[in-house]
Amino acid sequence: MRLHHIPRTIHPRQEIPSDQPYRLSTEWQGLLLPVLFVTLLLPHTAMGEAFVPKQAQSVSAQPSHLYLVAQQSLGPEELNTIAVFEKAAQSVVYITNTAVRRDIWSLNTFEVPQGSGSGFIWNRQGHIVTNYHVIYGADSIQVVLDDQSTRDARIIGVDPDHDLAVLQITGKTDTLMPLDIGNSQDLRVGQRVLAIGNPFGLDHTLTTGVVSALGRSIKSVNDRTIEGAIQTDAAINPGNSGGPLLNSAGKLIGVNTQIVSPSGAYAGIGFAVPVDIVKRIVPQLIQHGKVIRPGLGISLIPDAIAARWGIKGIVIAKVLPGSMADKAGLQGLEETANGRIRLGDVITAIDGETLRTYDDLARMLDRHNVGDRIKLGIRRNGKEHTLSLQLQAVQ
């Protein structure tokens, strides 16, 4: 028996009688006993397998590293969120705009950054949907795509009443990934939603939440009422404006537009323009560059003046010749021979719903299409009347 590289207690060539037990010195026992103990516990160490305690073996017959991976695996909800984000993020863009300013001393013109926001790809023709307030007052617009390429863009059409705008980018567009479009009429309070945007310039940021409420009324940038807005607690911050609000299937259900916050930062209340409005407005902006709205063919007295006159309702100032209102017999203000103004018709209701302001009238007309017939309630010479009227296209 020959030992190497360890302390020797016998000579290498010394023979040990077979009838005498082989005894190791105290030093040898101190070295070999731990080795034997570890060898018994790890019978498969030479094969590269890790030690698995009996308790763990009873739980799973798989090696321990697989067991640990299973402990760290993602749940179905997380996997769905990841899949939705990775697909939808390809359709979300970052929008920056600049304005031209003139130096008051040198009279030289220069561009200054004016604002930024988010948007999303509508189709493969390069149309981008965003908020009107994101590009308001812009002299030049740049769009950063998912592949980090920057494209110049031009404004195709805007609708301040619903805070929507459509841009079109330059360059190759056949590789663009349009966002899947859903609907907002079947939304339920409590269902999961995802918001993707570029808050504070941080591109492709995902936040999640739920539909907090439906049917909210919010004010657009021109103080018009947007009906049916979606309220959500998904974090929406400056820079998220114009980005998509998605359902758990990754389909567009709204366009993030504004928040309610005393500080200007996220406070748990955000609003999105419902996609059913977006689907109605965007095709018109692409085709006509503006929204073709249903109307009556009249001009109105401002609400503040009507209130000063003590009149309740919407005062008709003028009826356009040949309009549907003219054909229905509506009357506007009239100047008498002595120079006084005689009041004409005052609109009080549409289809039985009371109207008090111009915003009420616009909100009601927004629910209809060109060619629809309505029952218009008016007050003439102190008496109430109801007229049947067909809506016409107005700009």
Side-chain angles (χ1 to χ4, degrees):
M1 177 175 170
R2 183 169 296 183
L3 302 174
H4 300 278
H5 307 299
I6 56 175
R8 292 180 292 179
T9 57
I10 61 173
H11 295 289
R13 299 182 183 274
Q14 182 180 352
E15 294 184 0
I16 301 175
S18 60
D19 58 344
Q20 295 182 14
Y22 177 68
R23 297 179 181 275
L24 294 175
S25 67
T26 303
E27 293 88 345
W28 272 102
Q29 292 177 13
L31 288 170
L32 292 180
L33 286 178
V35 174
L36 293 173
F37 177 75
V38 173
T39 304
L40 291 173
L41 288 178
L42 301 175
H44 304 294
T45 303
M47 300 174 62
E49 298 183 9
F51 166 64
V52 182
K54 290 183 179 180
Q55 184 178 0
Q57 289 177 340
S58 64
V59 174
S60 173
Q62 297 178 341
S64 63
H65 65 279
L66 293 181
Y67 178 71
L68 293 175
V69 169
Q71 290 283 71
Q72 299 172 0
S73 63
L74 301 175
E77 185 173 333
E78 292 174 299
L79 292 172
N80 178 73
T81 299
I82 293 171
V84 168
F85 171 75
E86 290 180 347
K87 180 181 179 183
Q90 302 176 66
S91 306
V92 179
V93 302
Y94 178 45
I95 299 173
T96 60
N97 72 75
T98 58
V100 176
R101 297 288 183 265
R102 184 183 297 274
D103 187 277
I104 60 174
W105 304 109
S106 66
L107 300 182
N108 293 329
T109 59
F110 56 94
E111 288 188 341
V112 295
Q114 183 169 260
S116 64
S118 305
F120 56 90
I121 299 171
W122 182 261
N123 55 30
R124 291 187 183 276
Q125 286 71 51
H127 291 114
I128 307 294
V129 175
T130 186
N131 284 147
Y132 168 70
H133 75 260
V134 170
I135 53 88
Y136 173 73
D139 291 305
S140 66
I141 301 173
Q142 291 75 42
V143 173
V144 181
L145 302 178
D146 178 60
D147 61 3
Q148 299 304 307
S149 64
T150 301
R151 308 281 191 90
D152 291 329
R154 63 187 181 95
I155 298 174
I156 297 298
V158 299
D159 179 20
D161 291 350
H162 296 99
D163 198 15
L164 293 173
V166 175
L167 313 175
Q168 188 170 31
I169 61 174
T170 59
K172 186 178 179 181
T173 61
D174 57 349
T175 58
L176 297 179
M177 297 291 292
L179 202 61
D180 292 335
I181 308 299
N183 64 76
S184 52
Q185 61 184 2
D186 298 327
L187 292 179
R188 303 288 297 274
V189 173
Q191 77 175 75
R192 187 174 177 80
V193 294
L194 302 88
I196 304 177
N198 306 278
F200 305 106
L202 302 172
D203 64 332
H204 292 86
T205 297
L206 169 69
T207 57
T208 62
V210 297
V211 174
S212 302
L214 295 168
R216 296 299 196 199
S217 295
I218 59 176
K219 290 292 185 179
S220 66
V221 291
N222 63 352
D223 208 35
R224 279 283 307 275
T225 299
I226 303 175
E227 280 198 318
I230 304 167
Q231 180 182 330
T232 179
D233 66 348
I236 299 175
N237 286 294
N240 274 113
S241 293
L245 186 68
L246 310 172
N247 60 18
S248 56
K251 293 187 176 181
L252 180 72
I253 58 172
V255 179
N256 300 318
T257 184
Q258 60 184 248
I259 60 175
V260 173
S261 171
S263 65
Y266 171 67
I269 302 177
F271 298 100
V273 179
V275 71
D276 288 349
I277 290 180
V278 178
K279 290 191 293 186
R280 175 166 55 86
I281 298 299
V282 169
Q284 294 187 50
L285 295 180
I286 293 175
Q287 183 175 358
H288 305 291
K290 57 189 176 183
V291 178
I292 306 299
R293 293 185 173 83
L296 305 173
I298 58 177
S299 60
L300 304 171
I301 294 294
D303 294 331
I305 295 178
R308 195 181 307 152
W309 290 350
I311 300 173
K312 295 182 178 181
I314 305 164
V315 180
I316 298 178
K318 183 179 180 181
V319 177
L320 301 180
S323 65
M324 291 297 181
D326 187 26
K327 294 177 181 178
L330 289 178
Q331 300 175 7
L333 299 177
E334 183 179 352
E335 185 177 359
T336 62
N338 59 5
R340 298 175 64 88
I341 300 296
R342 184 169 61 190
L343 186 65
D345 294 336
V346 177
I347 299 174
T348 58
I350 288 182
D351 295 333
E353 185 168 331
T354 301
L355 305 179
R356 294 182 175 84
T357 65
Y358 168 74
D359 192 57
D360 292 338
L361 175 63
R363 176 172 49 82
M364 286 297 297
L365 292 177
D366 205 34
R367 301 176 183 177
H368 292 82
N369 297 313
V370 175
D372 289 353
R373 296 198 73 86
I374 61 171
K375 293 186 180 299
L376 187 69
I378 62 170
R379 184 170 58 250
R380 179 183 296 171
N381 298 325
K383 296 182 179 180
E384 302 293 333
H385 301 273
T386 300
L387 304 176
S388 178
L389 184 69
Q390 186 177 20
L391 298 178
Q392 67 181 62
V394 296
Q395 299 178 6

